[in-house]
Amino acid sequence: MARAQFDKEQVLESAANAFWRLGYNATSMQTVFEKTGLKPGSIFLAFGNKEGLFKEALGHNTEQSLIKLESTLTQYETVEEAIRHILVSFIEESCQSNYCSCFLVKSQLELSDHQVELQDYVSERLRKIESLYFKHLLKTNSESEAQAKASSVMLHIFGVRVYGYHSQSKNQLMDALRLGLPWLAWPSVH
Amino acid sequence: MARAQFDKEQVLESAANAFWRLGYNATSMQTVFEKTGLKPGSIFLAFGNKEGLFKEALGHNTEQSLIKLESTLTQYETVEEAIRHILVSFIEESCQSNYCSCFLVKSQLELSDHQVELQDYVSERLRKIESLYFKHLLKTNSESEAQAKASSVMLHIFGVRVYGYHSQSKNQLMDALRLGLPWLAWPSVH
DNA sequence: AATCAACTTGAATGTTCATTCAATATTTGT
DNA sequence: ACAAATATTGAATGAACATTCAAGTTGATT
């Protein structure tokens, strides 16, 4: 019995990259064949169909994001400082010329009622992210405070992911985050 | 010379509805023909191509939104009260079973580098909305305060448009808005 | 009632789409 | 070395796609 000869992880990353950049509907399997160098048969044998490939690509991508997030949330003195750094890095991402929002957020908005399974899959991953913030905020907050703050952080992240498309938005975004998330103890500007 | 026999406004509304619900790429012209009852030739003569139809549909939709927004922002005692009502109505929208975020936000995230003209068109409309909030906030705020508050409101609106997909999110959203927009003077819950 | 530009019609076009499958190649167990 | 199991290949398939256009219809103007 012959084993897979292509690196599944590498294929998932190429596919995720295409789906992220172009969106689910605008990414043709043809594009995937080109980006991965694989032939139709191989892809369809390994992933079933386009939805299956998308689901695995998104899952793989999100898993990595969650690992990175967990690591970031513990590597600073306080959770607040960590969250500040995360938000600032999102703003900086949005200043790059090839800015493309966030794979999960884009997918959440693009998928329609015809793909309920994928929609639920995306929602579940976004909820996982929020519960990670919640878990860490619980260390220094009551349950209800932590929940409200976690939701507020998610709201601001979503906001940045959309607002980021406006060019020249860096300063406006920073001011808005300072105003909306005062409990993050932003260093004063002098 | 025979005049157009279909109601252009009605066609644009049907088209906008489809584009909004399904997204630009997942909406086929076939769908548009069915929803409007028109034949290919009529649509293509009137709007040039799919992009042209999309642009006009989005433009028409946004124009109506701007009119409604302007009206809402002036019909309450204070701007703050008006914004509160707008945000609450967005949350209530998100509780409906057929919730579908916001046409502009969805379009902003779906369109890719291959449709720069449409992208810019969407960005411009979103900026118009922000400047409307800014204009009204200027009445009771300094320029820099008004700008930060307008950006913060946009951030929260974008957030609600994404967060709204989570079921059972109404209370979490309300708490997060109270936390992130304290200057809106929310009535206390008792 | 004749004219003619503007509009509508809908079958036809050529392209691109996701997916299939018979043939071929490769790896592993015996 | 052979057999069995599994991967890869890539041309082929049929459906769906955006768009075109020649022929027909409409209604205001002459």
Side-chain angles (χ1 to χ4, degrees):
Chain A
M1 39 189 152
R3 273 182 311 198
Q5 268 167 4
F6 60 85
D7 181 352
K8 198 167 181 178
E9 196 161 318
Q10 208 171 302
V11 167
L12 287 178
E13 271 160 35
S14 296
N17 188 57
F19 283 131
W20 182 0
R21 218 161 288 285
L22 303 170
Y24 177 77
N25 289 296
T27 302
S28 68
M29 293 305 290
Q30 185 65 28
T31 304
V32 174
F33 305 149
E34 282 160 16
K35 283 228 179 194
T36 60
L38 293 177
K39 309 291 164 182
S42 300
I43 298 270
F44 281 93
L45 184 74
F47 305 102
N49 55 24
K50 191 182 176 184
E51 273 200 33
L53 173 62
F54 178 81
K55 202 169 163 181
E56 284 204 44
L58 189 99
H60 180 261
N61 186 273
T62 310
E63 227 165 279
Q64 289 190 299
S65 300
L66 280 168
I67 289 165
K68 196 183 161 198
L69 177 59
E70 174 72 55
S71 142
T72 307
L73 281 173
T74 48
Q75 87 184 56
Y76 291 94
E77 293 251 336
T78 63
V79 189
E80 285 78 14
E81 194 187 348
I83 296 178
R84 261 172 19 228
H85 276 87
I86 290 167
L87 288 166
V88 168
S89 79
F90 287 172
I91 292 181
E92 270 156 9
E93 256 183 57
S94 82
C95 295
Q96 303 201 298
S97 61
N98 59 347
Y99 177 62
C100 199
S101 192
C102 152
F103 192 14
L104 275 171
V105 170
K106 286 187 74 169
S107 303
Q108 174 95 94
L109 292 210
E110 185 186 359
L111 300 170
S112 73
D113 304 343
H114 300 127
Q115 301 135 323
V116 182
E117 200 198 326
L118 287 182
Q119 268 193 325
D120 290 348
Y121 193 72
V122 172
S123 292
E124 189 198 317
R125 304 291 142 151
L126 284 172
R127 235 186 294 266
K128 261 195 180 167
I129 292 175
E130 175 167 347
S131 65
L132 237 178
Y133 284 108
F134 173 66
K135 188 184 87 185
H136 285 267
L137 284 163
L138 260 183
K139 285 186 248 168
T140 49
N141 293 275
S142 73
E143 186 141 346
S144 66
E145 268 174 355
Q147 180 55 68
K149 286 180 178 178
S151 296
S152 184
V153 166
M154 291 304 284
L155 226 50
H156 281 87
I157 290 175
F158 293 150
V160 170
R161 290 321 202 171
V162 179
Y163 205 109
Y165 278 97
H166 299 221
S167 55
Q168 238 67 23
S169 61
K170 191 173 177 179
N171 289 337
Q172 277 174 47
L173 269 176
M174 283 301 300
D175 291 345
L177 290 187
R178 282 169 178 277
L179 186 66
L181 299 162
W183 52 272
L184 282 184
W186 301 83
S188 53
V189 259
H190 283 313
Chain B
M1 39 187 154
R3 274 178 311 196
Q5 265 160 16
F6 61 85
D7 181 352
K8 200 167 179 179
E9 196 160 317
Q10 208 171 301
V11 166
L12 286 177
E13 271 161 33
S14 295
N17 188 57
F19 282 130
W20 181 359
R21 217 162 289 287
L22 302 169
Y24 177 77
N25 289 296
T27 302
S28 68
M29 292 306 289
Q30 186 64 31
T31 305
V32 175
F33 306 148
E34 282 160 15
K35 283 227 179 194
T36 60
L38 292 178
K39 310 291 164 182
S42 300
I43 299 268
F44 280 93
L45 183 73
F47 303 102
N49 55 22
K50 191 182 175 183
E51 273 201 34
L53 173 63
F54 178 79
K55 202 169 164 181
E56 286 204 42
L58 189 99
H60 180 261
N61 187 273
T62 310
E63 227 165 278
Q64 288 190 300
S65 300
L66 280 168
I67 290 166
K68 195 181 159 197
L69 177 58
E70 174 73 55
S71 140
T72 306
L73 282 173
T74 48
Q75 87 183 58
Y76 290 94
E77 293 250 337
T78 64
V79 188
E80 285 78 14
E81 193 187 348
I83 296 178
R84 260 170 23 226
H85 275 87
I86 290 166
L87 287 166
V88 168
S89 80
F90 287 171
I91 293 181
E92 269 155 11
E93 256 183 55
S94 83
C95 295
Q96 302 200 297
S97 61
N98 59 346
Y99 178 63
C100 199
S101 192
C102 151
F103 192 14
L104 275 171
V105 171
K106 286 187 73 170
S107 303
Q108 173 94 93
L109 292 209
E110 184 186 359
L111 300 171
S112 74
D113 304 341
H114 299 126
Q115 301 135 323
V116 182
E117 200 199 326
L118 287 182
Q119 267 192 324
D120 291 347
Y121 193 73
V122 172
S123 292
E124 190 198 318
R125 306 290 141 150
L126 284 172
R127 236 185 293 267
K128 262 197 181 165
I129 292 174
E130 176 168 344
S131 65
L132 238 178
Y133 283 108
F134 174 66
K135 188 184 87 184
H136 285 268
L137 284 163
L138 261 183
K139 286 185 248 169
T140 49
N141 293 275
S142 74
E143 188 142 344
S144 67
E145 267 174 354
Q147 180 55 69
K149 285 181 178 176
S151 295
S152 184
V153 166
M154 290 304 284
L155 227 51
H156 281 87
I157 290 176
F158 293 151
V160 170
R161 291 320 202 171
V162 179
Y163 205 109
Y165 278 98
H166 300 220
S167 53
Q168 237 69 22
S169 61
K170 190 172 177 180
N171 289 337
Q172 277 174 48
L173 269 177
M174 283 301 301
D175 291 345
L177 290 187
R178 282 169 178 277
L179 187 65
L181 299 163
W183 52 274
L184 282 184
W186 301 84
S188 53
V189 261
H190 282 312

